[in-house]
Amino acid sequence: MERYGQKFLDACGPDLTIQDWGVTYDELEPHYDRFEYLIGVSGTAGNIKGKILPGGNPFEAPRSRDYPNPAQKEPYFGAIFRKGAESLGCHPYPQPSSNLSRPYTNPLGLKMEACVFCGFCERYACEHYAKGSPQTTILPILLKNPKYELRTGCEVLRINLDSTGKKATGVTYVDAAGREFEQPAELVLICAFPLNNVRTLLLSKIGKPYDPKTGEA
């Protein structure tokens, strides 16, 4: 709304529903940057602190610094596509990848390797330690903490709240045998991707469901 204006939105038709975010990109960017350096993203920046750089996405929002690793090598079919796009006046750029283009040590001290393009990482962890996933970039550090316990085969049913309904006190979950447990916690992180995050919040009666008729939540 703030960027395009009401006139532009009206021209898109009555079915378009759009709202401004409650946070700005400048507030989010430091967290994007920290995450990218944690998992070792490979890419080519197109905009660093407002300066447009060749080879990257010239339309992206300003980044505070370049990606931690260079972009993956350009394959033959990629080169053909790039040359064709450039001949049409477009601005092709290598897509950022969380598969590493070179050996890398992340801020936690975990050493990662360059991707060998085996293809098995599509739905699984990387045995070569070249994929920016939790199993590769965070879990090895957590397992060294005596207070950390990894419980596999479990599924959270809901987040438990205190009497005010405003503070999380833990979660209720079931294990692989179907047994139900309540796990107290001072901090609860919702990390099940957007669809399951929303489902978990709704099951926990946290927040107000979005009403598509009124546009309110």
Side-chain angles (χ1 to χ4, degrees):
M1 179 75 72
E2 187 175 302
R3 178 174 182 178
Y4 298 103
Q6 188 63 50
K7 184 177 180 181
F8 174 86
L9 299 179
D10 290 342
C12 294
D15 294 331
L16 176 66
T17 57
I18 187 171
Q19 297 181 31
D20 292 327
W21 276 38
V23 293
T24 67
Y25 171 78
D26 290 338
E27 292 173 318
L28 292 173
E29 197 278 335
H31 302 286
Y32 288 143
D33 176 82
R34 180 184 179 186
F35 181 75
E36 288 173 348
Y37 273 75
L38 177 66
I39 67 174
V41 174
S42 305
T44 300
N47 184 340
I48 297 182
K49 297 181 179 179
K51 181 179 180 181
I52 304 301
L53 303 174
N57 179 7
F59 306 109
E60 69 181 359
R63 303 171 50 86
S64 57
R65 53 180 172 170
D66 204 346
Y67 290 99
N69 293 298
Q72 298 284 0
K73 293 181 180 179
E74 184 180 64
Y76 177 68
F77 67 85
I80 294 177
F81 178 86
R82 173 180 54 78
K83 293 177 181 179
E86 288 176 342
S87 69
L88 297 173
C90 298
H91 304 79
Y93 60 91
Q95 179 176 332
S97 168
S98 59
N99 298 68
L100 276 70
S101 60
R102 64 182 178 184
Y104 173 71
T105 300
N106 76 2
L108 296 179
L110 287 172
K111 295 183 179 180
M112 305 171 70
E113 302 296 332
C115 179
V116 295
F117 303 103
C118 66
F120 290 104
C121 73
E122 197 269 333
R123 293 187 184 275
Y124 306 99
C126 177
E127 63 179 7
H128 190 56
Y129 281 77
K131 175 184 176 182
S133 61
Q135 297 93 334
T136 303
T137 59
I138 299 176
L139 187 59
I141 296 295
L142 293 175
L143 291 174
K144 293 180 181 179
N145 188 333
K147 296 182 179 180
Y148 179 81
E149 179 183 349
L150 177 63
R151 300 177 188 173
T152 59
C154 299
E155 182 173 347
V156 172
L157 299 177
R158 61 184 174 276
I159 301 168
N160 302 322
L161 306 175
D162 65 5
S163 58
T164 67
K166 297 182 179 180
K167 180 180 180 181
T169 60
V171 299
T172 296
Y173 72 93
V174 293
D175 66 6
R179 297 172 298 182
E180 187 172 312
F181 296 91
E182 182 175 336
Q183 175 60 56
E186 294 183 359
L187 181 66
V188 175
L189 304 179
I190 308 175
C191 309
F193 295 98
L195 294 179
N196 279 319
N197 284 348
V198 173
R199 180 176 181 273
T200 301
L201 292 172
L202 292 175
L203 290 174
S204 308
K205 301 188 185 318
I206 297 176
K208 181 181 178 182
Y210 175 74
D211 187 339
K213 293 182 179 180
T214 63
E216 296 180 352

